[in-house]
């Protein structure tokens, strides 16, 4: 996986979907992410073969899509909670959790306590809980282009 993420041109933004296939909301989010990823790949190929014309906002969404059915590790959960604004986000991602340590215990005891879908951009330190398409697309649009990073 590291070779895929850290290519010749540096690190790509990795966007992870914590997915639950039996959830309609999670399936919708997966569809949105796959479409955005496909558009980014298509635009990046067009850019390589064309002149430097004005680029649309969709072209900014260059990312590596990682989809997992597994719950996050405890370190990942800590990061997700931080990205969502800290202690107030605990109950958004772990059913019935009162605080971070309670969330960790519940996650360890039952991975299904973790609410899905959750979309995480690890490089930018941002996350979206649920299937709000505009929030997810906003997160993706804020990903810097490879040329912006150079």
């Amino acid at each position: 996986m590291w070779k895929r993420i850290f290519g010749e041109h540096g690190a790509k933004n990795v966007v992870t979907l914590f997915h639950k296939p039996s959830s309609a909301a999670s399936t919708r989010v997966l569809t949105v992410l796959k479409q955005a990823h496909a558009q980014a790949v298509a635009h990046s190929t067009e850019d390589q073969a064309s002149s430097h014309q004005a680029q649309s906002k969709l072209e900014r969404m260059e990312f590596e899509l990682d989809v997992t059915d597994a719950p996050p590790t405890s370190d990942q959960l800590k990061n997700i909670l931080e990205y969502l604004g800290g202690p107030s986000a605990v109950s958004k991602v772990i059913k019935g959790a009162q605080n971070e340590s309670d969330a960790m215990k519940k996650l360890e005891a039952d991975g299904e306590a973790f609410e899905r879908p959750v979309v995480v951009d690890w490089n930018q330190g941002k996350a979206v809980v649920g299937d709000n398409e505009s929030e997810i697309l906003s997160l993706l649009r804020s990903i810097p282009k490879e040329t912006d990073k150079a």
Side-chain angles (χ1 to χ4, degrees):
M1 181 170 150
W2 291 112
K3 187 176 182 183
R4 189 173 52 142
I5 296 170
F6 297 101
E8 290 178 33
H9 302 291
K12 280 202 179 230
N13 275 54
V14 177
V15 174
T16 300
L17 168 61
F18 289 95
H19 180 52
K20 184 173 186 175
S22 62
S23 160
S26 191
T27 302
R28 280 192 300 275
V29 171
L30 179 59
T31 300
V32 167
L33 290 171
K34 282 183 174 180
Q35 288 172 343
H37 187 258
Q39 287 177 326
V41 170
H43 284 296
S44 115
T45 303
E46 287 172 15
D47 285 349
Q48 292 168 2
S50 65
S51 65
H52 297 290
Q53 297 172 350
Q55 298 174 342
S56 74
K57 287 183 180 180
L58 287 177
E59 291 176 58
R60 298 188 63 78
M61 296 188 280
E62 294 178 11
F63 62 94
E64 188 74 32
L65 180 58
D66 174 37
V67 179
T68 181
D69 298 349
T73 64
S74 57
D75 286 341
Q76 287 175 324
L77 179 60
K78 285 179 187 175
N79 287 334
I80 291 167
L81 292 173
E82 181 184 314
Y83 301 164
L84 291 170
S88 62
V90 170
S91 63
K92 289 181 186 176
V93 292
I94 300 290
K95 292 177 200 163
Q98 302 300 313
N99 54 45
E100 188 174 314
S101 69
D102 188 32
M104 294 297 169
K105 288 176 192 168
K106 288 183 183 299
L107 177 66
E108 210 171 282
D110 178 15
E112 290 303 307
F114 182 73
E115 297 283 352
R116 294 172 184 91
V118 176
V119 178
V120 184
D121 180 336
W122 303 106
N123 297 48
Q124 294 192 99
K126 295 180 180 181
V128 175
V129 178
D131 64 344
N132 185 320
E133 186 173 341
S134 63
E135 280 184 42
I136 293 165
L137 291 175
S138 176
L139 178 143
L140 296 176
R141 284 188 187 105
S142 67
I143 295 172
K145 280 186 63 98
E146 287 298 312
T147 54
D148 293 345
K149 294 179 192 175

